[in-house]
Amino acid sequence: FQKDTIKTIIDIGANIGNYTIALKNAYPTSTIHSFEPNSTNYQRLVNNIKLNKFTNINKISIFMHFFNY
């Protein structure tokens, strides 16, 4: 993929942001939506994004579960 072709990335289970940060470095113009339900990991995710001075990363603290009935 070319760096400017990826516009939106979704990271479900972002943990402390390792993959989010790697993706933002690889695709700096993209918008990333990072989902992390664990409050401790979510705070570390927020701090890691701040430390790296990234923009266009939406941090969402939510639990997702898909039912298969």
Side-chain angles (χ1 to χ4, degrees), residues 13-64:
N15 199 272
I16 63 170
N18 291 337
Y19 195 62
T20 297
I21 290 167
L23 287 167
K24 194 61 175 175
N25 281 320
Y27 303 100
T29 61
S30 67
T31 298
I32 300 177
H33 304 281
S34 296
F35 295 85
E36 176 52 47
N38 180 280
S39 60
T40 302
N41 288 342
Y42 177 78
Q43 192 56 52
R44 290 180 181 153
L45 167 70
V46 170
N47 291 338
N48 285 335
I49 291 168
K50 284 181 187 176
L51 286 172
N52 285 279
K53 300 179 182 174
F54 287 132
T55 59
N56 292 338
I57 298 177
N58 298 314
K59 302 157 297 291
I60 302 108
S61 180
I62 191 170
F63 175 75
M64 294 182 180

